[in-house]
Amino acid sequence: METLLFDGWKSIFRVVLMCILAYPFLILLLRLFGKRTLSEISIFDFIITVTYGATLSSIITSDKVSFADGAAILFMLTLLQYMVSRLSVKSKRFSDFIKASPTFLYHSNHFNEEIMKQNRLRIEDLRAKVRQQGISSFEKVEAIVLEGDGSLSIVKKEDVMSKDALDGIGEEKTKSSRA
């Protein structure tokens, strides 16, 4: 019962240290497993949501986690989240490191098979997405982009010469095939 509110500085130091070690590891792990792991949710929203839930569960249900330990975990996660978001706004290099950039899966009548393979996508998946947009042929598609959040964007061919919405999309030189 004496550990209900405070269990000593040693346990709080351990919690702070584990947050500093575990949070970046989880970000790295999620980045390594690719964009489709999180489909349409940011890495940071995912980490915070799951971790807050798990932490609250531990605080409430485990007699081995004191309130002070749980509060330290929640504080450290929130602080780290804040620091990451601030750094990503202030530093383009840091932002580029932690945020996935969009890439072409299909562009100029070619599929980027290497990128598709890395992200566990098949041509059939892209065909289905094109059909969902009401498009009957790849001849009417300018590009299919795998966005940084894991979603797919279909860009229709138009008569307009400017295609500035496609600027800045990574165009890795890899194995590709014609549509």
Side-chain angles (χ1 to χ4, degrees):
M1 191 61 142
E2 66 274 356
T3 64
L4 183 63
L5 295 178
F6 184 73
D7 196 22
W9 290 109
K10 182 179 177 184
S11 64
I12 291 176
F13 176 74
R14 181 192 169 282
V15 165
V16 169
L17 182 63
M18 292 307 288
C19 284
I20 290 171
L21 295 174
Y23 185 75
F25 174 75
L26 187 54
I27 291 172
L28 180 64
L29 194 63
L30 291 169
R31 288 285 291 141
L32 289 175
F33 277 95
K35 301 172 196 172
R36 294 281 294 186
T37 304
L38 301 174
S39 190
E40 298 191 41
I41 182 173
S42 79
I43 289 174
F44 308 108
D45 293 338
F46 177 77
I47 291 171
I48 288 297
T49 300
V50 170
T51 308
Y52 278 167
T55 301
L56 285 175
S57 173
S58 294
I59 293 169
I60 293 169
T61 61
S62 175
D63 60 354
K64 298 196 184 296
V65 178
S66 71
F67 175 77
D69 290 346
I73 291 169
L74 293 174
F75 175 78
M76 286 305 301
L77 289 171
T78 304
L79 179 65
L80 288 168
Q81 176 70 10
Y82 176 78
M83 290 168 50
V84 165
S85 58
R86 290 279 296 186
L87 262 172
S88 69
V89 170
K90 289 184 180 239
S91 167
K92 181 173 176 13
R93 177 182 272 177
F94 183 74
S95 179
D96 290 345
F97 174 72
I98 63 167
K99 292 182 180 176
S101 57
T103 53
F104 286 116
L105 298 174
Y106 176 83
H107 188 246
S108 301
N109 298 322
H110 289 89
F111 291 99
N112 191 333
E113 292 179 18
E114 189 64 34
I115 298 297
M116 290 171 61
K117 187 177 181 181
Q118 287 173 5
N119 289 281
R120 299 172 304 281
L121 288 165
R122 302 170 304 142
I123 290 175
E124 291 77 20
D125 299 325
L126 301 186
R127 281 190 184 118
K129 189 67 173 178
V130 168
R131 286 191 306 270
Q132 289 171 359
Q133 297 296 313
I135 303 170
S136 61
S137 171
F138 279 100
E139 291 174 357
K140 298 177 182 178
V141 175
E142 178 75 32
I144 301 175
V145 178
L146 179 60
E147 301 292 352
D149 65 1
S151 64
L152 295 176
S153 295
I154 308 294
V155 180
K156 296 177 187 176
K157 284 187 179 174
E158 298 176 3
D159 294 333
V160 179
M161 296 302 287
S162 173
K163 296 179 177 34
D164 57 349
L166 299 178
D167 290 348
I169 297 175
E171 187 147 18
E172 289 101 5
K173 304 292 183 212
T174 57
K175 182 180 174 186
S176 64
S177 66
R178 278 201 163 297

